[in-house]
Amino acid sequence: MINKRKYTMSYKYHIHVTHLRSAIIRVSTSDMDQASALSDMDLNEITETLTELNAVIAGQLDYLDWGTDLFYVSSEATVSRYGNYDKVERIQVPTTGLRNFLIELKNLKQQCKAGGYYKTIVGQAFTEIKANRSQYEKWSNYYYITVNNIEVSLVLLGDDFNLSEGQYVAQLKNDFQ
């Protein structure tokens, strides 16, 4: 049975930079546990899925099975069921809620790609962390800060603190989707 509470989702935005300088762009919401796994979808997959979901919602398709390796979704016009990769757990949510989540994810990924916006955010985070490491260190070599409503986590090693913001940002890879 679908939860009757009104779905006015609030989203959290994340950028994580690994020690290899790869950026991972994610969106999450407390309204859908583990939905952040959908962040593994690239922009083309998101766009294609949104087109198909809109067709399901409009009644042009009966259903759509979609998702990622770790997050499986089966959508009908009004209700979607999702669960983990083994397809056993089925949590029901409004299909429009999942569509809205994908729209939010697409918007963030497009924004991050545009003009290197994510590099600006990561650069600001790096500079702030470098100025006051102890305030932002969560675990050894793992730093966490919020910049412009985006939660940024950076894995920084000792030599990284000898870099300028420009040097650090120049090492970031543009491999996120």
Side-chain angles (χ1 to χ4, degrees):
M1 168 141 226
I2 195 166
N3 188 335
K4 297 290 185 187
R5 71 183 168 101
K6 187 175 182 176
Y7 274 85
T8 55
M9 285 193 237
S10 62
Y11 303 101
K12 288 188 178 183
Y13 310 99
H14 313 269
I15 298 175
H16 174 72
V17 178
T18 70
H19 70 286
L20 299 174
R21 303 298 190 257
S22 295
I24 300 166
I25 310 298
R26 300 189 86 67
V27 173
S28 65
T29 178
S30 60
D31 293 322
M32 289 187 293
D33 189 37
Q34 301 173 359
S36 67
L38 293 173
S39 297
D40 292 341
M41 297 172 73
D42 66 33
L43 281 169
N44 291 334
E45 290 173 305
I46 294 168
T47 300
E48 182 179 308
T49 301
L50 282 169
T51 299
E52 292 172 336
L53 268 181
N54 284 329
V56 168
I57 291 168
Q60 299 164 342
L61 288 175
D62 291 334
Y63 69 94
L64 177 65
D65 290 333
W66 60 283
T68 66
D69 290 343
L70 298 176
F71 193 86
Y72 175 81
V73 183
S74 181
S75 295
E76 295 174 357
T78 58
V79 176
S80 290
R81 291 161 195 79
Y82 72 87
N84 55 17
Y85 66 93
D86 63 9
K87 303 177 186 175
V88 173
E89 182 182 0
R90 300 281 195 200
I91 298 171
Q92 293 186 3
V93 295
T95 299
T96 55
L98 274 170
R99 180 192 58 195
N100 294 343
F101 181 86
L102 281 182
I103 290 169
E104 205 66 27
L105 176 60
K106 181 179 179 179
N107 289 343
L108 178 65
K109 286 192 175 202
Q110 286 176 328
Q111 180 183 13
C112 284
K113 276 191 174 275
Y117 177 71
Y118 85 100
K119 288 184 176 184
T120 301
I121 297 296
V122 169
Q124 290 174 7
F126 175 77
T127 298
E128 186 65 31
I129 290 167
K130 185 176 171 181
N132 194 351
R133 285 189 221 188
S134 63
Q135 181 178 346
Y136 301 107
E137 187 171 24
K138 293 296 179 188
W139 301 283
S140 179
N141 301 325
Y142 183 88
Y143 299 84
Y144 180 85
I145 186 172
T146 299
V147 177
N148 293 351
N149 289 328
I150 298 175
E151 297 174 354
V152 181
S153 57
L154 306 177
V155 177
L156 299 171
L157 306 175
D159 288 343
D160 293 334
F161 291 100
N162 296 326
L163 300 173
S164 69
E165 177 180 323
Q167 291 169 321
Y168 179 77
V169 169
Q171 295 177 1
L172 297 176
K173 297 177 182 172
N174 289 320
D175 58 355
F176 73 88
Q177 298 296 321

